[in-house]
Amino acid sequence: MDFIIEEKEGTERYSLVAASGRLNGASATEFKRKIKQIVEAGKSRLILDMGGIVFIDSSGLSALISGLKCARESGGFFRLANLRDQPASVIKLMMLDRVFDIYADAIAAKP
Amino acid sequence: MKPSKHRDTRLLVSNIIGVVACALGLNYIIWRYIASLNLQALWFSIPMVIAETYGILDMLLFVFMSWRKPEREPLSPPEKAEVDIFITTYNEPVDLVATTARAAMRIDWPDKKVYILDDGARTSMEKTAEEIGCNYISRGKDWRGKPRHAKAGNINNALLETSGEFIMILDADQIPAPTILRKTLGFFSEPSLAFVQTPQYFYNLPPGDPFGNEASLFYGPIQQGKDGWNAAFFCGSNAVLRREALMQLGIREYVETMEKRERETIKRLAKRMQKTSCDDAETCAAVKRLTEGLKAAGEALDDKASLEHVSDLVIEAVRDAEFLISRKEVSEIAGAMNELAKEGDTEAAAIYRHIIGNLDSIARRAPSLSDTLPLRGSEEYLEALNLARSEEAVPVQALATISITEDMATAMRLHSLGWKSIFYPEVLAYGLAPEDFGSSLKQRLRWAQGTVQVFIRENPFFKKGLSFPQKLMYFATMYSYFSGFFNLVLLLAPIIYFFTGIAPVSSWSVDFFVRFIPFFIMNKIMFRFVASGIPVWRGEQYNLAMFPLNIKAVLSVLSGKKLGFVVTPKHKEEGHNFRLIWPQTTIIVLTIAAVTYGLIGFFGGRGIPAVGLLVNMAWSIYNVASLVVVVRALYYQPPEGWNAQLPEFVIQTDRRPAQDDSANSCPAGKP
């Protein structure tokens, strides 16, 4: 399995979602579907633990933006945490650090 | 001589001719300004010299563009690359799309997926896609009630539903050759290459190309010249693009738009706060809280904090302010209950006690009724701060949507991000040109409007990241669509001369001829040399004759009216609509009348000098010879028995059911 995404922890104040593998064109749809499902279940305050994501491309970034859209439209947030080097540098290159709230790890991201 | 050596020599000669033509042109125009303006009639001589200057600048840009022509030989393609082939359609006949889709399925590349992107969401199209064995995408429910952005929106939608590393875009009528991917994918070994554009070739042009649709000048010397400056244009079809480049473009655009919008929203709200007056302590406190929150958010934005964080600062301030107002309102209700309680209403007394006991929590939950402050209920700020781009169906829009011709804006944005492009001049797809004059004009108008739109909204000279030659290449194309005004002056000049005797030059002297004639001849030679065998006269005729259309395009964009994307008709529209050519006809009639009047005057012994007569007669003949092209086009009938011929490879390999072989000779729906 190339890509896994699951909800780790759900409290009233936030839900922790962990993803691992390659977030690219092939897995972007799955990612978006899962996030949408979580938000539709009433959990829109999301922290995405990206510690397992080894690679991300533009389609993956676009999926992150869709996640952000989904969460914020429901009045929540979409925080990124625990980024590896490749995703961190791509996010910076594309100036998405201008958009997302990024934290060193999931604990720091908790509200 | 080796072919490449021959090419080098040819280019050298072409450049020398170009330089000479430019020198002669400058020599002429400078003389026009400093020594030959008709000072007695500035109302005439100034527009005239400006029109001439326009032409000279056009020539300079053309020579610069033609300066180098890279040799493009296909490189060996990568061993493995996933390619998504998008066939875009809106309302074209299902049969026509099917022919293209079948040809796409036969493209020689193992790792490909063919998608029909049907903006018409037709069940018949979906069924045909299934029969052919290709995929079918139409817009989902996310798009309901949102701007659709025509073809760009159609492709942006499909980009998010597919995942191939490369994308080939084909218009519904563009039948690809089986080799198209093998010949183009190799170029992508250059990692910063964003797209390869190949020519659009029309297999249904009637003999003599009456509508001037022949595009081999553009998809030849012009695109090759632009390619020489890493500024080949993406033309919306027959191109292979790198998905990563497109997505990057979309994400950049998203970030920039969101940042700009957030800044504007904060500014607007802050301004509104400044204007808000307050009468009581609670409202004043709320206004203060909001004002402070907005200030903090603005500062955070300047400090490059994340937009999510900035949004949250505003949202928190709004929540707090709303709480303050709400609490005041709830207290007022409590006060009213207390009044009733004093009069002995026990129920009111109970409510009063409940409210006072839980004031804060009730206030937190109760939505504020106030409309003096921009609070949570006001959509304008929510829309802007949720980073969701809710007014759009998809937040990330890779293909530019600012223009009704999305291709040029997209290519320019890619170039400005440092991506490269290639124009590969071999014809690898065969499409349909409009088959009647009216449709052809609609297509021209759309291109003209789209190009002018990009010029206004994303002027290449102010676009960061483009090299100066790239700016010039984009500008040159945009500039050419402003020609209508100047051509009108050139068309009116001989008419004015014959009727009034007033000339735009101070005298038709030897000085004029020794400067003008060499320039004029050299200019024509240069153009023909660069075109290297491609007929140019039809193009020159249309360049002059399209003055009403180009003027209309510029004015319609400047007036700010919303422009619709018109799908170019792929079938013949019947009837001759004279309204399409009344401006040109008027000029022709006026010119003939003016020449007649001039001749009668000359032989009757009135004023006009013989040289003036001859120059203006020659000029008039040139004008009329150019303009008649539209009259001919309007009344054009293809010769008896003529039919568009599909390219050989389609006829040979198209295994269509026997009862349906009509499309082999006439996919445009011609009988």
Side-chain angles (χ1 to χ4, degrees), chain A residues 73-91:
Chain A
E73 269 182 336
S74 302
F77 55 69
F78 191 79
R79 297 179 176 176
L80 309 182
N82 200 10
L83 274 68
R84 291 196 182 201
D85 287 349
Q86 194 274 349
S89 71
V90 173
I91 283 176

Side-chain angles (χ1 to χ4, degrees), chain B residues 304-563:
Chain B
K304 303 277 173 207
S306 76
L307 299 184
E308 251 205 298
H309 177 68
V310 174
S311 293
D312 288 343
L313 286 177
V314 180
I315 290 169
E316 255 167 51
V318 168
R319 201 175 292 146
D320 291 351
E322 187 163 65
F323 168 70
L324 290 169
I325 300 273
S326 238
R327 196 167 61 172
K328 178 191 131 199
E329 286 164 357
V330 175
S331 308
E332 279 166 6
I333 295 170
M337 290 298 140
N338 197 22
E339 291 299 314
L340 289 175
K342 280 179 189 161
E343 285 163 20
D345 187 333
T346 51
E347 209 170 318
I351 296 174
Y352 170 74
R353 279 194 303 277
H354 173 72
I355 295 178
I356 291 300
N358 304 287
L359 186 57
D360 281 9
S361 75
I362 292 173
R364 286 238 179 257
R365 274 179 287 137
S368 164
L369 305 170
S370 164
D371 57 0
T372 54
L373 298 181
L375 298 180
R376 255 188 289 182
S378 67
E379 279 171 22
E380 52 169 330
Y381 99 86
L382 255 185
E383 292 273 303
L385 295 173
N386 67 10
L387 298 167
R389 219 178 194 179
S390 304
E391 80 288 2
E392 299 282 357
V394 289
V396 177
Q397 307 195 339
L399 258 73
T401 54
I402 60 152
S403 157
I404 51 174
T405 47
E406 69 287 349
D407 341 318
M408 174 188 268
T410 301
M412 193 163 75
R413 289 179 183 175
L414 283 170
H415 283 134
S416 75
L417 288 178
W419 289 96
K420 290 186 181 143
S421 62
I422 278 180
F423 172 70
Y424 177 64
E426 183 180 343
V427 172
L428 293 168
Y430 300 78
L432 293 171
E435 299 204 358
D436 69 292
F437 189 52
S439 313
S440 172
L441 288 180
K442 274 182 205 155
Q443 186 176 59
R444 281 175 187 271
L445 183 66
R446 178 162 72 81
W447 287 339
Q449 286 175 325
T451 310
V452 175
Q453 237 175 11
V454 179
F455 178 75
I456 304 284
R457 298 202 196 161
E458 281 191 34
N459 191 304
F461 284 113
F462 302 115
K463 192 101 192 147
K464 275 187 213 151
L466 292 178
S467 70
F468 188 66
Q470 283 177 325
K471 289 178 190 211
L472 283 184
M473 290 303 98
Y474 281 102
F475 175 69
T477 295
M478 296 166 176
Y479 179 78
S480 66
Y481 285 102
F482 286 86
S483 65
F485 303 98
F486 309 99
N487 283 336
L488 180 61
V489 175
L490 298 178
L491 290 167
L492 289 175
I495 300 174
I496 293 172
Y497 179 73
F498 283 127
F499 280 129
T500 66
I502 299 169
V505 292
S506 53
S507 73
W508 304 107
S509 58
V510 175
D511 277 348
F512 170 76
F513 291 108
V514 298
R515 287 177 172 85
F516 178 74
I517 291 178
F519 150 64
F520 183 80
I521 292 175
M522 208 57 190
N523 180 25
K524 297 279 169 194
I525 291 178
M526 182 272 294
F527 196 47
R528 278 154 181 77
F529 195 87
V530 172
S532 56
I534 298 166
V536 295
W537 169 237
R538 187 68 77 232
E540 287 176 325
Q541 282 180 304
Y542 269 99
N543 179 31
L544 196 58
M546 283 299 109
F547 75 92
L549 185 136
N550 288 335
I551 290 176
K552 183 180 169 190
V554 173
L555 294 183
S556 65
V557 173
L558 290 182
S559 74
K561 263 193 309 200
K562 193 165 160 33
L563 308 170

Side-chain angles (χ1 to χ4, degrees), chain A residues 1 13 23 27 38 43 47 50 55 66-67 70 74 76 78 100 111:
Chain A
M1 181 77 184
R13 291 169 58 235
L23 184 50
S27 53
I38 296 173
K43 289 174 252 180
I47 298 167
M50 293 176 59
F55 173 85
S66 296
C70 203
S74 302
F78 191 79
F100 287 100

Side-chain angles (χ1 to χ4, degrees), chain B residues 39-289:
Chain B
L39 300 176
Q40 266 73 53
L42 289 176
W43 59 270
F44 184 18
S45 54
I46 295 220
M48 185 65 205
V49 80
I50 290 174
E52 289 180 279
T53 311
Y54 174 89
I56 302 276
L57 187 54
D58 198 39
M59 180 181 74
L60 294 178
L61 287 167
F62 188 80
V63 170
F64 182 73
M65 180 191 76
S66 318
W67 199 252
R68 38 190 198 184
K69 275 189 195 141
E71 237 174 272
R72 298 294 186 195
E73 295 295 336
L75 306 173
S76 58
E79 282 191 359
K80 210 173 134 45
E82 272 177 50
V83 184
D84 293 332
I85 301 173
F86 290 172
I87 300 167
T88 59
T89 171
Y90 175 59
N91 59 3
E92 293 84 355
V94 170
D95 243 17
L96 178 83
V97 187
T99 304
T100 304
R102 281 195 197 92
M105 296 289 284
R106 287 195 300 263
I107 289 175
D108 175 21
W109 191 255
D111 221 355
K112 63 170 189 290
K113 285 188 187 140
V114 178
Y115 296 86
I116 294 177
L117 315 186
D118 180 20
D119 239 353
R122 293 162 288 182
T123 40
S124 54
M125 191 75 255
E126 189 170 2
K127 207 168 138 259
T128 305
E130 201 178 307
E131 279 164 23
I132 296 171
C134 65
N135 303 285
Y136 176 88
I137 297 181
S138 68
R139 313 261 192 126
K141 62 179 188 322
D142 289 352
W143 289 85
R144 228 169 272 156
K146 304 280 166 84
R148 295 181 71 82
H149 301 301
K151 184 176 157 190
N154 195 5
I155 294 170
N156 284 335
N157 177 57
L159 275 175
L160 298 179
E161 296 192 16
T162 54
S163 63
E165 187 182 354
F166 298 102
I167 290 142
M168 180 162 83
I169 298 179
L170 293 171
D171 278 349
D173 59 310
Q174 297 285 336
I175 305 169
T179 52
I180 188 164
L181 288 176
R182 293 224 169 263
K183 296 224 169 154
T184 50
L185 282 175
F187 292 118
F188 288 95
S189 57
E190 158 70 56
S192 60
L193 183 72
F195 65 87
V196 179
Q197 175 71 50
T198 73
Q200 300 211 21
Y201 173 87
F202 305 114
Y203 62 88
N204 67 333
L205 289 184
D209 185 24
F211 311 128
N213 288 325
E214 164 72 68
S216 48
L217 198 61
F218 181 78
Y219 291 106
I222 293 179
Q223 277 274 42
Q224 284 177 301
K226 291 185 193 293
D227 191 20
W229 298 107
N230 185 28
F233 285 12
F234 165 52
C235 300
S237 182
N238 311 358
V240 183
L241 301 100
R242 192 190 290 275
R243 176 185 293 267
E244 189 64 17
L246 280 180
M247 295 306 295
Q248 193 188 94
L249 200 63
I251 289 167
R252 280 288 182 121
E253 193 267 344
Y254 167 80
V255 174
E256 279 162 18
T257 308
M258 289 302 117
E259 178 165 355
K260 194 169 141 222
R261 194 178 293 177
E262 200 141 317
R263 202 174 285 282
E264 281 167 2
T265 307
I266 290 172
K267 216 184 220 165
R268 204 174 54 232
L269 290 179
K271 209 175 219 169
R272 202 159 134 194
M273 284 297 94
Q274 272 174 7
K275 282 192 205 144
T276 309
S277 57
C278 55
D279 309 324
D280 53 85
E282 290 90 345
T283 312
C284 288
V287 169
K288 185 159 172 273
R289 173 70 186 93

Side-chain angles (χ1 to χ4, degrees), chain B residues 620-636:
Chain B
S620 299
I621 291 169
Y622 182 88
N623 285 351
V624 173
S626 298
L627 294 185
V628 289
V629 73
V630 296
V631 182
R632 193 175 156 237
L634 186 65
Y635 295 102
Y636 179 82

